Coordinates of all heavy atoms in Angstrom, one line a residue:
I1 N -7.5 -1.5 3.7 CA -7.4 -1.1 2.3 C -6.5 -2.1 1.5 O -5.3 -2.2 1.8 CB -6.8 0.4 2.1 CG1 -7.7 1.3 2.9 CG2 -6.7 0.8 0.7 CD1 -7.1 2.7 3.0
S2 N -7.0 -2.8 0.5 CA -6.3 -3.7 -0.3 C -5.5 -3.0 -1.3 O -5.9 -2.1 -2.0 CB -7.2 -4.7 -1.0 OG -6.5 -5.6 -1.8
L3 N -4.1 -3.3 -1.3 CA -3.2 -2.7 -2.3 C -2.4 -3.9 -3.0 O -1.4 -4.3 -2.6 CB -2.2 -1.8 -1.6 CG -2.8 -0.6 -0.8 CD1 -1.8 0.1 0.0 CD2 -3.5 0.3 -1.8
R4 N -3.1 -4.4 -4.1 CA -2.6 -5.6 -4.7 C -1.4 -5.3 -5.6 O -1.4 -4.3 -6.3 CB -3.7 -6.2 -5.5 CG -5.0 -6.6 -4.7 CD -6.2 -6.6 -5.6 NE -6.5 -5.2 -6.2 CZ -7.5 -5.0 -7.0 NH1 -8.3 -5.9 -7.3 NH2 -7.7 -3.8 -7.4
G5 N -0.4 -6.2 -5.6 CA 0.7 -6.0 -6.4 C 2.1 -6.4 -5.8 O 2.8 -7.2 -6.4
H6 N 2.4 -5.9 -4.7 CA 3.6 -6.3 -4.0 C 3.4 -7.7 -3.6 O 4.3 -8.6 -3.8 CB 3.9 -5.4 -2.8 CG 5.1 -5.8 -2.0 ND1 6.4 -5.6 -2.5 CD2 5.3 -6.3 -0.8 CE1 7.3 -6.0 -1.7 NE2 6.6 -6.4 -0.6
T7 N 2.3 -8.0 -3.0 CA 1.8 -9.4 -2.9 C 0.3 -9.3 -3.2 O -0.3 -8.3 -3.2 CB 1.9 -10.1 -1.5 OG1 1.1 -9.4 -0.6 CG2 3.4 -10.1 -1.0
E8 N -0.3 -10.5 -3.5 CA -1.8 -10.5 -3.9 C -2.6 -10.0 -2.7 O -3.6 -9.4 -2.8 CB -2.2 -11.8 -4.3 CG -3.7 -12.0 -4.7 CD -3.9 -11.2 -6.0 OE1 -3.0 -10.9 -6.8 OE2 -5.2 -10.9 -6.1
G9 N -2.1 -10.3 -1.5 CA -2.9 -10.0 -0.3 C -2.4 -8.8 0.5 O -2.8 -8.6 1.7
S10 N -1.6 -8.0 0.0 CA -1.1 -6.8 0.7 C -2.3 -5.9 1.1 O -3.2 -5.6 0.3 CB -0.1 -6.0 -0.1 OG 1.1 -6.7 -0.2
V11 N -2.2 -5.4 2.3 CA -3.3 -4.5 2.8 C -2.5 -3.3 3.5 O -1.5 -3.5 4.1 CB -4.3 -5.2 3.8 CG1 -5.1 -6.2 3.0 CG2 -3.5 -5.9 4.9
A12 N -3.2 -2.2 3.6 CA -2.8 -1.1 4.4 C -3.9 -0.9 5.4 O -5.0 -1.4 5.2 CB -2.6 0.2 3.5
F13 N -3.6 -0.2 6.5 CA -4.6 0.1 7.6 C -4.6 1.6 7.8 O -3.6 2.3 7.9 CB -4.2 -0.6 8.8 CG -4.0 -2.1 8.7 CD1 -2.8 -2.7 8.6 CD2 -5.3 -2.8 8.7 CE1 -2.8 -4.1 8.5 CE2 -5.1 -4.3 8.6 CZ -3.9 -4.8 8.5
A14 N -5.8 2.2 7.7 CA -6.1 3.6 7.9 C -6.6 3.9 9.3 O -7.7 3.3 9.6 CB -7.0 4.2 6.8
L15 N -6.0 4.7 10.0 CA -6.4 5.2 11.3 C -6.9 6.6 11.2 O -6.2 7.5 11.0 CB -5.3 5.1 12.3 CG -5.6 5.7 13.7 CD1 -6.6 4.8 14.5 CD2 -4.3 5.7 14.6
D16 N -8.2 6.8 11.3 CA -8.8 8.1 11.3 C -8.6 8.8 12.7 O -8.9 8.2 13.7 CB -10.3 8.0 11.0 CG -11.0 9.3 10.6 OD1 -10.2 10.2 10.1 OD2 -12.2 9.5 10.9
V17 N -8.3 10.1 12.6 CA -8.0 10.8 13.9 C -8.9 12.0 13.9 O -8.9 12.8 13.0 CB -6.5 11.2 13.9 CG1 -6.2 12.0 15.1 CG2 -5.5 10.0 13.8
E18 N -9.5 12.1 15.1 CA -10.4 13.3 15.3 C -9.6 14.6 15.3 O -8.6 14.7 16.0 CB -11.1 13.1 16.6 CG -12.2 14.3 16.9 CD -12.9 14.1 18.2 OE1 -12.6 13.1 18.8 OE2 -13.7 15.0 18.5
D19 N -10.0 15.5 14.5 CA -9.3 16.8 14.3 C -7.9 16.7 14.0 O -7.0 17.4 14.4 CB -9.5 17.6 15.7 CG -10.9 17.9 16.0 OD1 -11.7 18.1 15.1 OD2 -11.2 17.8 17.2
G20 N -7.5 15.7 13.2 CA -6.2 15.6 12.8 C -6.1 14.7 11.5 O -7.1 14.1 11.1
P21 N -4.9 14.6 11.0 CA -4.7 13.8 9.8 C -4.9 12.3 10.0 O -4.6 11.8 11.0 CB -3.3 14.2 9.3 CG -2.6 14.6 10.5 CD -3.6 15.2 11.4
T22 N -5.3 11.7 8.9 CA -5.3 10.2 8.9 C -3.9 9.6 8.9 O -3.0 10.2 8.3 CB -6.1 9.7 7.6 OG1 -7.5 10.2 7.6 CG2 -6.1 8.2 7.5
H23 N -3.8 8.5 9.5 CA -2.5 7.7 9.5 C -2.7 6.5 8.7 O -3.6 5.7 9.0 CB -2.1 7.4 10.9 CG -1.6 8.6 11.8 ND1 -0.4 8.8 12.2 CD2 -2.4 9.6 12.2 CE1 -0.3 9.9 12.9 NE2 -1.5 10.4 12.9
L24 N -1.9 6.3 7.8 CA -1.8 5.1 6.9 C -0.6 4.2 7.2 O 0.5 4.7 7.1 CB -1.8 5.4 5.4 CG -3.0 6.2 4.9 CD1 -2.7 6.6 3.4 CD2 -4.3 5.4 4.9
F25 N -0.9 2.9 7.5 CA 0.2 2.0 7.7 C 0.2 1.1 6.4 O -0.7 0.2 6.3 CB -0.1 1.1 9.0 CG -0.2 2.0 10.2 CD1 -1.4 2.6 10.6 CD2 0.9 2.3 11.0 CE1 -1.5 3.4 11.7 CE2 0.9 3.1 12.1 CZ -0.4 3.7 12.4
T26 N 1.2 1.3 5.6 CA 1.2 0.8 4.2 C 2.0 -0.5 4.0 O 2.1 -0.9 2.8 CB 1.6 1.9 3.3 OG1 2.9 2.4 3.7 CG2 0.6 3.1 3.3
G27 N 2.6 -1.0 4.9 CA 3.5 -2.1 4.7 C 4.6 -1.8 3.6 O 5.3 -0.8 3.7
D28 N 4.7 -2.7 2.7 CA 5.7 -2.5 1.5 C 5.0 -2.0 0.3 O 5.6 -2.2 -0.8 CB 6.5 -3.8 1.3 CG 7.5 -4.1 2.3 OD1 7.7 -3.3 3.3 OD2 8.2 -5.1 2.2
S29 N 3.8 -1.5 0.4 CA 3.1 -1.0 -0.8 C 3.4 0.4 -1.2 O 3.3 0.8 -2.4 CB 1.6 -1.3 -0.7 OG 1.2 -2.6 -0.7
L30 N 3.6 1.3 -0.2 CA 4.0 2.7 -0.5 C 5.1 3.1 0.4 O 4.9 3.0 1.7 CB 2.7 3.5 -0.3 CG 2.9 5.0 -0.5 CD1 3.2 5.3 -1.9 CD2 1.6 5.8 -0.2
F31 N 6.0 3.8 -0.2 CA 7.2 4.4 0.6 C 7.4 5.8 0.1 O 6.8 6.2 -0.9 CB 8.5 3.6 0.2 CG 8.5 2.2 0.6 CD1 8.2 1.2 -0.3 CD2 8.9 1.8 1.9 CE1 8.2 -0.2 0.1 CE2 8.8 0.5 2.3 CZ 8.5 -0.5 1.4
P32 N 8.2 6.5 0.8 CA 8.7 7.8 0.3 C 9.4 7.5 -1.1 O 10.3 6.7 -1.1 CB 9.7 8.4 1.3 CG 9.3 7.7 2.5 CD 8.8 6.4 2.1
G33 N 8.9 8.2 -2.1 CA 9.6 8.0 -3.4 C 9.1 6.9 -4.3 O 9.6 6.7 -5.5
G34 N 8.1 6.2 -3.9 CA 7.5 5.2 -4.8 C 6.7 4.1 -4.2 O 6.6 4.1 -3.0
V35 N 6.2 3.3 -5.1 CA 5.5 2.1 -4.6 C 6.4 0.9 -4.2 O 7.6 1.1 -4.6 CB 4.4 1.7 -5.6 CG1 3.3 2.8 -5.8 CG2 5.0 1.2 -6.9
G36 N 5.9 -0.1 -3.7 CA 6.7 -1.2 -3.4 C 7.2 -2.0 -4.5 O 6.8 -1.8 -5.7
K37 N 8.1 -2.9 -4.4 CA 8.7 -3.7 -5.4 C 7.6 -4.7 -6.0 O 6.8 -5.2 -5.3 CB 9.8 -4.6 -4.9 CG 10.6 -5.4 -5.9 CD 11.7 -6.2 -5.3 CE 12.5 -6.9 -6.4 NZ 13.6 -7.7 -5.8
T38 N 7.6 -4.8 -7.3 CA 6.8 -5.8 -8.0 C 7.7 -6.6 -8.9 O 8.8 -6.2 -9.3 CB 5.6 -5.0 -8.8 OG1 6.3 -4.1 -9.6 CG2 4.6 -4.3 -7.8
W39 N 7.1 -7.7 -9.5 CA 7.9 -8.6 -10.3 C 7.3 -8.7 -11.7 O 7.8 -9.6 -12.4 CB 7.9 -10.0 -9.5 CG 8.8 -9.9 -8.3 CD1 10.1 -10.3 -8.2 CD2 8.4 -9.4 -7.0 NE1 10.5 -10.1 -6.9 CE2 9.6 -9.6 -6.2 CE3 7.2 -8.9 -6.5 CZ2 9.6 -9.2 -4.8 CZ3 7.2 -8.5 -5.1 CH2 8.4 -8.7 -4.3
S40 N 6.4 -8.0 -12.1 CA 5.9 -7.9 -13.4 C 5.2 -6.6 -13.7 O 4.8 -5.9 -12.9 CB 4.9 -9.1 -13.7 OG 3.7 -8.8 -13.0
D41 N 5.1 -6.3 -15.1 CA 4.3 -5.1 -15.4 C 2.9 -5.1 -14.9 O 2.4 -4.1 -14.5 CB 4.4 -4.9 -16.9 CG 5.8 -4.6 -17.4 OD1 6.7 -4.2 -16.6 OD2 6.0 -4.7 -18.6
E42 N 2.3 -6.3 -15.0 CA 0.9 -6.4 -14.5 C 0.8 -6.1 -13.1 O -0.1 -5.4 -12.7 CB 0.4 -7.8 -14.9 CG -1.0 -8.0 -14.4 CD -1.5 -9.5 -14.6 OE1 -0.7 -10.3 -15.0 OE2 -2.7 -9.7 -14.3
D43 N 1.7 -6.6 -12.3 CA 1.7 -6.3 -10.8 C 1.9 -4.9 -10.5 O 1.3 -4.3 -9.6 CB 2.7 -7.2 -10.1 CG 2.2 -8.7 -9.9 OD1 1.0 -9.0 -10.1 OD2 3.1 -9.6 -9.7
F44 N 2.9 -4.3 -11.2 CA 3.2 -2.9 -11.0 C 1.9 -2.0 -11.3 O 1.6 -1.1 -10.5 CB 4.3 -2.4 -11.8 CG 4.5 -0.9 -11.8 CD1 5.0 -0.2 -10.7 CD2 4.0 -0.2 -12.9 CE1 5.1 1.2 -10.7 CE2 4.1 1.3 -13.0 CZ 4.6 1.9 -11.8
N45 N 1.3 -2.3 -12.4 CA 0.1 -1.5 -12.9 C -1.1 -1.7 -11.8 O -1.7 -0.7 -11.4 CB -0.4 -2.0 -14.2 CG 0.6 -1.4 -15.3 OD1 1.2 -0.4 -15.2 ND2 0.7 -2.2 -16.4
R46 N -1.2 -2.9 -11.3 CA -2.2 -3.1 -10.3 C -1.9 -2.3 -9.0 O -2.8 -1.7 -8.4 CB -2.4 -4.6 -10.0 CG -2.9 -5.4 -11.1 CD -2.9 -6.9 -10.7 NE -4.0 -7.2 -9.8 CZ -4.0 -8.3 -9.0 NH1 -3.0 -9.0 -9.0 NH2 -5.0 -8.5 -8.3

């Protein structure tokens, strides 16, 4: 899953689990309390 903004090529990985919740490995794009750091309004909006 491409999540553009923290860097242009940032990606997350989704692990589907049988009979259980999905696990997302989000790097620095999503944290508890907010998205990752960006350096412009355009990057934040993306």
Side-chain angles (χ1 to χ4, degrees):
I1 302 172
S2 176
L3 300 173
R4 302 156 295 181
H6 183 66
T7 67
E8 182 66 22
S10 288
V11 291
F13 300 101
L15 175 67
D16 191 31
V17 178
E18 184 178 357
D19 298 324
T22 298
H23 290 245
L24 296 173
F25 301 88
T26 57
D28 283 0
S29 293
L30 178 62
F31 296 97
V35 297
K37 184 177 180 180
T38 54
W39 288 264
S40 70
D41 290 343
E42 180 184 5
D43 284 343
F44 170 76
N45 288 328
R46 293 176 76 200

